[in-house]
Tab-separated table of all heavy atoms in Angstrom:
chain	number	residue	atom	x	y	z
F	1	MET	N	74.511	239.393	26.898
F	1	MET	CA	75.174	238.560	27.804
F	1	MET	C	74.065	237.600	28.456
F	1	MET	O	73.038	238.095	28.923
F	1	MET	CB	75.664	239.366	29.067
F	1	MET	CG	77.011	240.100	28.744
F	1	MET	SD	78.332	239.296	29.600
F	1	MET	CE	79.443	240.823	29.635
F	2	SER	N	74.320	236.302	28.363
F	2	SER	CA	73.406	235.368	28.851
F	2	SER	C	73.633	235.161	30.450
F	2	SER	O	74.783	235.460	30.818
F	2	SER	CB	73.621	233.909	28.207
F	2	SER	OG	74.927	233.462	28.583
F	3	LYS	N	72.684	234.997	31.107
F	3	LYS	CA	72.692	234.742	32.525
F	3	LYS	C	73.767	233.610	32.885
F	3	LYS	O	74.521	233.734	33.820
F	3	LYS	CB	71.358	234.256	33.241
F	3	LYS	CG	70.451	235.398	33.221
F	3	LYS	CD	69.279	235.050	34.146
F	3	LYS	CE	68.292	236.316	34.192
F	3	LYS	NZ	67.028	236.066	33.701
F	4	GLY	N	73.831	232.549	32.029
F	4	GLY	CA	74.719	231.445	32.264
F	4	GLY	C	76.195	231.925	32.321
F	4	GLY	O	76.978	231.506	33.037
F	5	PHE	N	76.455	232.762	31.226
F	5	PHE	CA	77.754	233.258	31.164
F	5	PHE	C	78.223	234.175	32.336
F	5	PHE	O	79.317	233.910	32.902
F	5	PHE	CB	77.933	234.141	29.852
F	5	PHE	CG	79.374	234.713	29.659
F	5	PHE	CD1	80.362	233.962	29.255
F	5	PHE	CD2	79.520	236.146	29.980
F	5	PHE	CE1	81.599	234.552	29.120
F	5	PHE	CE2	80.757	236.659	29.790
F	5	PHE	CZ	81.800	235.922	29.381
F	6	ILE	N	77.299	234.938	32.814
F	6	ILE	CA	77.561	235.900	33.898
F	6	ILE	C	77.747	234.939	35.226
F	6	ILE	O	78.642	235.247	35.980
F	6	ILE	CB	76.261	236.847	34.103
F	6	ILE	CG1	76.386	237.841	33.015
F	6	ILE	CG2	76.527	237.632	35.383
F	6	ILE	CD1	75.157	238.668	32.954
F	7	ALA	N	76.879	234.071	35.310
F	7	ALA	CA	77.048	233.035	36.425
F	7	ALA	C	78.425	232.373	36.351
F	7	ALA	O	79.098	232.324	37.512
F	7	ALA	CB	75.943	232.012	36.393
F	8	GLY	N	78.803	231.964	35.269
F	8	GLY	CA	80.141	231.384	35.031
F	8	GLY	C	81.205	232.216	35.608
F	8	GLY	O	82.204	231.845	36.187
F	9	VAL	N	81.233	233.385	35.053
F	9	VAL	CA	82.188	234.432	35.493
F	9	VAL	C	82.220	234.619	36.958
F	9	VAL	O	83.287	234.657	37.509
F	9	VAL	CB	82.124	235.762	34.735
F	9	VAL	CG1	82.955	236.818	35.172
F	9	VAL	CG2	82.264	235.559	33.213
F	10	ALA	N	81.065	234.797	37.595
F	10	ALA	CA	81.016	235.042	39.008
F	10	ALA	C	81.477	233.838	39.764
F	10	ALA	O	82.281	233.939	40.662
F	10	ALA	CB	79.467	235.302	39.370
F	11	THR	N	81.260	232.656	39.268
F	11	THR	CA	81.657	231.405	39.843
F	11	THR	C	83.205	231.307	39.851
F	11	THR	O	83.904	231.045	40.796
F	11	THR	CB	81.147	230.164	39.187
F	11	THR	OG1	79.699	230.259	39.287
F	11	THR	CG2	81.500	228.872	39.845
F	12	ALA	N	83.778	231.722	38.696
F	12	ALA	CA	85.141	231.712	38.486
F	12	ALA	C	85.812	232.729	39.398
F	12	ALA	O	86.834	232.441	40.179
F	12	ALA	CB	85.608	232.121	37.018
F	13	LEU	N	85.227	233.911	39.586
F	13	LEU	CA	85.854	234.803	40.555
F	13	LEU	C	85.733	234.353	42.052
F	13	LEU	O	86.731	234.487	42.788
F	13	LEU	CB	84.958	236.216	40.476
F	13	LEU	CG	85.212	236.964	39.064
F	13	LEU	CD1	84.240	238.156	39.114
F	13	LEU	CD2	86.703	237.407	38.998
F	14	VAL	N	84.564	233.779	42.377
F	14	VAL	CA	84.459	233.241	43.735
F	14	VAL	C	85.460	232.109	43.980
F	14	VAL	O	86.177	232.111	44.915
F	14	VAL	CB	82.947	232.604	43.932
F	14	VAL	CG1	83.115	231.758	45.258
F	14	VAL	CG2	81.939	233.630	43.951
F	15	VAL	N	85.663	231.242	42.929
F	15	VAL	CA	86.583	230.159	43.114
F	15	VAL	C	88.056	230.747	43.382
F	15	VAL	O	88.749	230.368	44.166
F	15	VAL	CB	86.581	229.157	41.865
F	15	VAL	CG1	87.784	228.237	41.856
F	15	VAL	CG2	85.275	228.426	41.732
F	16	VAL	N	88.428	231.754	42.495
F	16	VAL	CA	89.757	232.414	42.668
F	16	VAL	C	89.942	232.984	44.059
F	16	VAL	O	90.835	232.949	44.721
F	16	VAL	CB	89.985	233.434	41.465
F	16	VAL	CG1	91.185	234.232	41.730
F	16	VAL	CG2	90.099	232.759	40.064
F	17	ALA	N	88.860	233.748	44.470
F	17	ALA	CA	88.830	234.556	45.576
F	17	ALA	C	88.899	233.586	46.912
F	17	ALA	O	89.649	233.824	47.845
F	17	ALA	CB	87.652	235.346	45.776
F	18	VAL	N	88.237	232.456	46.819
F	18	VAL	CA	88.114	231.544	48.104
F	18	VAL	C	89.507	230.760	47.995
F	18	VAL	O	90.165	230.648	49.040
F	18	VAL	CB	87.043	230.565	47.886
F	18	VAL	CG1	86.985	229.472	48.984
F	18	VAL	CG2	85.652	231.391	48.134
F	19	GLY	N	89.857	230.181	46.976
F	19	GLY	CA	91.087	229.440	46.778
F	19	GLY	C	91.137	228.056	47.460
F	19	GLY	O	90.273	227.810	48.426
F	20	GLY	N	92.006	227.249	47.143
F	20	GLY	CA	92.244	225.990	47.766
F	20	GLY	C	90.996	225.017	47.980
F	20	GLY	O	90.150	224.965	47.271
F	21	ALA	N	91.034	224.479	49.297
F	21	ALA	CA	90.065	223.492	49.629
F	21	ALA	C	88.594	224.155	49.665
F	21	ALA	O	87.703	223.412	49.216
F	21	ALA	CB	90.347	223.028	50.934
F	22	GLY	N	88.557	225.342	50.054
F	22	GLY	CA	87.145	226.106	49.983
F	22	GLY	C	86.675	226.153	48.506
F	22	GLY	O	85.486	225.869	48.422
F	23	ALA	N	87.581	226.405	47.606
F	23	ALA	CA	86.978	226.484	46.179
F	23	ALA	C	86.548	225.085	45.810
F	23	ALA	O	85.571	224.922	45.144
F	23	ALA	CB	88.132	227.016	45.286
F	24	TYR	N	87.243	224.047	46.124
F	24	TYR	CA	86.927	222.695	45.914
F	24	TYR	C	85.582	222.313	46.384
F	24	TYR	O	84.689	221.818	45.689
F	24	TYR	CB	87.926	221.768	46.306
F	24	TYR	CG	87.603	220.217	46.066
F	24	TYR	CD1	87.789	219.848	44.789
F	24	TYR	CD2	87.119	219.380	47.021
F	24	TYR	CE1	87.515	218.485	44.346
F	24	TYR	CE2	86.814	218.064	46.684
F	24	TYR	CZ	87.068	217.687	45.410
F	24	TYR	OH	86.718	216.420	45.155
F	25	ALA	N	85.339	222.768	47.794
F	25	ALA	CA	83.992	222.587	48.357
F	25	ALA	C	82.886	223.178	47.550
F	25	ALA	O	81.855	222.703	47.401
F	25	ALA	CB	84.090	223.011	49.683
F	26	VAL	N	83.091	224.441	47.078
F	26	VAL	CA	82.187	225.250	46.317
F	26	VAL	C	81.851	224.490	45.033
F	26	VAL	O	80.635	224.357	44.738
F	26	VAL	CB	82.570	226.690	45.990
F	26	VAL	CG1	81.804	227.351	44.993
F	26	VAL	CG2	82.771	227.483	47.331
F	27	VAL	N	82.815	224.034	44.374
F	27	VAL	CA	82.634	223.366	43.004
F	27	VAL	C	81.805	222.002	43.303
F	27	VAL	O	80.979	221.793	42.529
F	27	VAL	CB	83.956	223.135	42.325
F	27	VAL	CG1	83.789	222.173	41.140
F	27	VAL	CG2	84.677	224.458	41.948
F	28	GLN	N	82.194	221.364	44.272
F	28	GLN	CA	81.529	220.041	44.715
F	28	GLN	C	80.061	220.371	44.898
F	28	GLN	O	79.246	219.685	44.422
F	28	GLN	CB	82.116	219.337	45.822
F	28	GLN	CG	83.589	218.771	45.691
F	28	GLN	CD	83.253	217.581	44.562
F	28	GLN	OE1	83.659	217.710	43.374
F	28	GLN	NE2	82.787	216.465	45.060
F	29	HIS	N	79.831	221.391	45.681
F	29	HIS	CA	78.446	221.681	45.943
F	29	HIS	C	77.570	222.023	44.705
F	29	HIS	O	76.478	221.573	44.652
F	29	HIS	CB	78.343	222.886	47.047
F	29	HIS	CG	76.987	223.395	47.339
F	29	HIS	ND1	76.228	222.616	48.197
F	29	HIS	CD2	76.368	224.472	47.037
F	29	HIS	CE1	75.003	223.214	48.292
F	29	HIS	NE2	75.203	224.378	47.578
F	30	GLN	N	78.250	222.851	43.857
F	30	GLN	CA	77.554	223.258	42.710
F	30	GLN	C	77.273	221.970	41.734
F	30	GLN	O	76.234	221.971	41.236
F	30	GLN	CB	78.395	224.303	41.892
F	30	GLN	CG	78.247	225.600	42.563
F	30	GLN	CD	79.011	226.683	41.709
F	30	GLN	OE1	79.907	226.344	41.064
F	30	GLN	NE2	78.694	227.908	41.941
F	31	SER	N	78.139	221.126	41.727
F	31	SER	CA	78.005	219.912	40.884
F	31	SER	C	76.829	219.092	41.346
F	31	SER	O	76.170	218.511	40.736
F	31	SER	CB	79.282	219.096	40.551
F	31	SER	OG	79.698	218.513	41.742
F	32	GLN	N	76.803	219.062	42.801
F	32	GLN	CA	75.726	218.291	43.343
F	32	GLN	C	74.463	218.935	43.162
F	32	GLN	O	73.415	218.260	42.831
F	32	GLN	CB	75.893	218.232	44.981
F	32	GLN	CG	76.989	217.231	45.185
F	32	GLN	CD	77.455	217.307	46.655
F	32	GLN	OE1	76.990	218.174	47.477
F	32	GLN	NE2	78.382	216.385	47.094
F	33	GLN	N	74.400	220.318	43.155
F	33	GLN	CA	73.211	221.007	42.887
F	33	GLN	C	72.715	220.750	41.508
F	33	GLN	O	71.439	220.485	41.236
F	33	GLN	CB	73.310	222.513	43.045
F	33	GLN	CG	73.550	222.975	44.432
F	33	GLN	CD	72.305	222.936	45.184
F	33	GLN	OE1	71.939	222.009	45.950
F	33	GLN	NE2	71.606	224.066	45.204
F	34	LYS	N	73.625	220.704	40.482
F	34	LYS	CA	73.248	220.483	39.070
F	34	LYS	C	72.713	219.049	38.998
F	34	LYS	O	71.746	218.890	38.224
F	34	LYS	CB	74.518	220.665	38.249
F	34	LYS	CG	74.921	222.115	37.839
F	34	LYS	CD	75.771	222.150	36.684
F	34	LYS	CE	76.076	223.514	36.375
F	34	LYS	NZ	77.139	224.120	37.136
F	35	ALA	N	73.375	218.106	39.697
F	35	ALA	CA	72.901	216.740	39.554
F	35	ALA	C	71.499	216.608	40.038
F	35	ALA	O	70.558	215.947	39.538
F	35	ALA	CB	73.753	215.839	40.399
F	36	LEU	N	71.191	217.347	41.139
F	36	LEU	CA	69.850	217.296	41.818
F	36	LEU	C	68.844	217.929	40.851
F	36	LEU	O	67.699	217.350	40.615
F	36	LEU	CB	69.910	218.146	43.221
F	36	LEU	CG	68.644	218.062	43.905
F	36	LEU	CD1	68.315	216.540	44.427
F	36	LEU	CD2	68.745	219.078	45.149
F	37	GLN	N	69.197	219.063	40.269
F	37	GLN	CA	68.298	219.781	39.324
F	37	GLN	C	67.983	218.703	38.131
F	37	GLN	O	66.787	218.720	37.680
F	37	GLN	CB	68.819	221.005	38.853
F	37	GLN	CG	68.762	222.133	39.965
F	37	GLN	CD	69.573	223.367	39.642
F	37	GLN	OE1	70.374	223.357	38.727
F	37	GLN	NE2	69.523	224.299	40.406
F	38	THR	N	68.960	218.036	37.545
F	38	THR	CA	68.809	217.184	36.487
F	38	THR	C	67.839	216.052	36.887
F	38	THR	O	66.820	215.737	36.118
F	38	THR	CB	70.173	216.523	36.085
F	38	THR	OG1	70.990	217.648	35.793
F	38	THR	CG2	69.952	215.653	34.973
F	39	GLU	N	68.060	215.474	38.141
F	39	GLU	CA	67.093	214.433	38.594
F	39	GLU	C	65.731	215.033	38.672
F	39	GLU	O	64.649	214.325	38.291
F	39	GLU	CB	67.620	213.865	39.975
F	39	GLU	CG	68.740	213.071	39.788
F	39	GLU	CD	68.540	211.791	38.831
F	39	GLU	OE1	67.462	211.109	39.046
F	39	GLU	OE2	69.449	211.605	38.010
F	40	GLN	N	65.480	216.193	39.247
F	40	GLN	CA	64.184	216.811	39.335
F	40	GLN	C	63.584	216.971	37.960
F	40	GLN	O	62.295	216.783	37.791
F	40	GLN	CB	64.230	218.101	40.129
F	40	GLN	CG	64.550	217.904	41.700
F	40	GLN	CD	64.850	219.199	42.432
F	40	GLN	OE1	65.149	220.266	41.696
F	40	GLN	NE2	64.713	219.230	43.660
F	41	ALA	N	64.349	217.392	37.029
F	41	ALA	CA	63.780	217.667	35.681
F	41	ALA	C	63.252	216.269	35.042
F	41	ALA	O	62.277	216.244	34.411
F	41	ALA	CB	64.841	218.256	34.807
F	42	LYS	N	64.205	215.272	35.183
F	42	LYS	CA	63.818	213.990	34.785
F	42	LYS	C	62.494	213.403	35.412
F	42	LYS	O	61.560	213.003	34.689
F	42	LYS	CB	64.898	212.900	35.164
F	42	LYS	CG	66.020	212.996	34.131
F	42	LYS	CD	67.005	211.809	34.594
F	42	LYS	CE	68.398	212.054	33.982
F	42	LYS	NZ	69.381	211.213	34.705
F	43	THR	N	62.461	213.802	36.736
F	43	THR	CA	61.032	213.280	37.416
F	43	THR	C	59.932	213.984	36.987
F	43	THR	O	58.889	213.425	36.700
F	43	THR	CB	61.308	213.556	38.960
F	43	THR	OG1	62.418	212.929	39.460
F	43	THR	CG2	60.107	213.015	39.765
F	44	ARG	N	60.171	215.416	36.728
F	44	ARG	CA	58.983	216.078	36.185
F	44	ARG	C	58.572	215.729	34.826
F	44	ARG	O	57.347	215.598	34.461
F	44	ARG	CB	59.338	217.685	36.090
F	44	ARG	CG	59.083	218.256	37.387
F	44	ARG	CD	59.165	219.792	37.270
F	44	ARG	NE	60.396	220.327	36.835
F	44	ARG	CZ	61.527	220.715	37.641
F	44	ARG	NH1	61.325	220.530	38.856
F	44	ARG	NH2	62.674	221.043	37.231
F	45	SER	N	59.500	215.311	34.010
F	45	SER	CA	59.158	215.014	32.547
F	45	SER	C	58.469	213.572	32.562
F	45	SER	O	57.443	213.332	32.010
F	45	SER	CB	60.309	214.979	31.629
F	45	SER	OG	61.227	213.895	31.946
F	46	MET	N	58.941	212.727	33.425
F	46	MET	CA	58.202	211.443	33.642
F	46	MET	C	56.841	211.571	34.186
F	46	MET	O	55.866	211.032	33.560
F	46	MET	CB	58.965	210.484	34.747
F	46	MET	CG	60.299	209.911	34.161
F	46	MET	SD	59.986	208.789	32.771
F	46	MET	CE	59.230	207.527	33.731
F	47	SER	N	56.688	212.510	35.059
F	47	SER	CA	55.280	212.743	35.524
F	47	SER	C	54.383	213.405	34.618
F	47	SER	O	53.244	212.879	34.412
F	47	SER	CB	55.453	213.904	36.747
F	47	SER	OG	56.174	213.205	37.826
F	48	ALA	N	54.897	214.215	33.720
F	48	ALA	CA	54.173	214.795	32.643
F	48	ALA	C	53.841	213.621	31.615
F	48	ALA	O	52.654	213.656	31.217
F	48	ALA	CB	54.949	215.889	31.893
F	49	LYS	N	54.637	212.697	31.371
F	49	LYS	CA	54.318	211.632	30.341
F	49	LYS	C	53.258	210.675	30.994
F	49	LYS	O	52.421	210.517	30.211
F	49	LYS	CB	55.638	210.821	30.033
F	49	LYS	CG	56.562	211.534	29.241
F	49	LYS	CD	57.834	210.657	28.950
F	49	LYS	CE	58.879	211.514	28.183
F	49	LYS	NZ	60.255	211.028	28.381
F	50	LEU	N	53.391	210.393	32.309
F	50	LEU	CA	52.339	209.615	32.880
F	50	LEU	C	51.045	210.294	32.929
F	50	LEU	O	49.942	209.607	32.559
F	50	LEU	CB	52.768	209.337	34.318
F	50	LEU	CG	53.913	208.314	34.418
F	50	LEU	CD1	54.390	208.252	35.864
F	50	LEU	CD2	53.472	206.912	33.989
F	51	ALA	N	51.012	211.633	33.100
F	51	ALA	CA	49.824	212.307	33.231
F	51	ALA	C	49.136	212.348	31.942
F	51	ALA	O	47.981	212.066	31.747
F	51	ALA	CB	50.021	213.710	33.619
F	52	SER	N	49.922	212.548	30.784
F	52	SER	CA	49.440	212.587	29.389
F	52	SER	C	48.822	211.241	28.936
F	52	SER	O	47.974	211.189	28.302
F	52	SER	CB	50.356	213.183	28.485
F	52	SER	OG	51.470	212.358	28.214
F	53	ALA	N	49.640	210.128	29.410
F	53	ALA	CA	49.265	208.802	29.002
F	53	ALA	C	47.882	208.457	29.755
F	53	ALA	O	46.960	207.836	29.032
F	53	ALA	CB	50.313	207.926	29.502
F	54	GLN	N	47.700	208.903	30.943
F	54	GLN	CA	46.415	208.694	31.647
F	54	GLN	C	45.320	209.451	30.958
F	54	GLN	O	44.153	208.933	30.984
F	54	GLN	CB	46.496	209.127	33.088
F	54	GLN	CG	47.424	208.051	33.980
F	54	GLN	CD	47.664	208.658	35.212
F	54	GLN	OE1	47.459	209.699	35.671
F	54	GLN	NE2	48.425	207.676	36.067
F	55	VAL	N	45.537	210.584	30.344
F	55	VAL	CA	44.548	211.420	29.800
F	55	VAL	C	44.075	210.709	28.575
F	55	VAL	O	42.868	210.685	28.327
F	55	VAL	CB	44.989	212.965	29.436
F	55	VAL	CG1	43.991	213.651	28.552
F	55	VAL	CG2	45.292	213.656	30.693
F	56	LYS	N	44.982	210.225	27.814
F	56	LYS	CA	44.555	209.440	26.548
F	56	LYS	C	43.937	208.087	26.963
F	56	LYS	O	42.980	207.744	26.754
F	56	LYS	CB	45.857	208.964	25.745
F	56	LYS	CG	46.575	210.130	25.310
F	56	LYS	CD	47.901	209.682	24.590
F	56	LYS	CE	48.726	210.914	24.157
F	56	LYS	NZ	50.044	210.434	23.770
């Protein structure tokens, strides 16, 4: 079992348990977290590229 799959199942259970507007808020929060993580990853890779360019 991958961690992602387990997290997905747990998220689905939480969404079902919470229901309605609360579930929507949880999903919105998670998608914002994902977007933030993606941005941070982009920033890190840019920083790494700049650092390696400066070393050369």
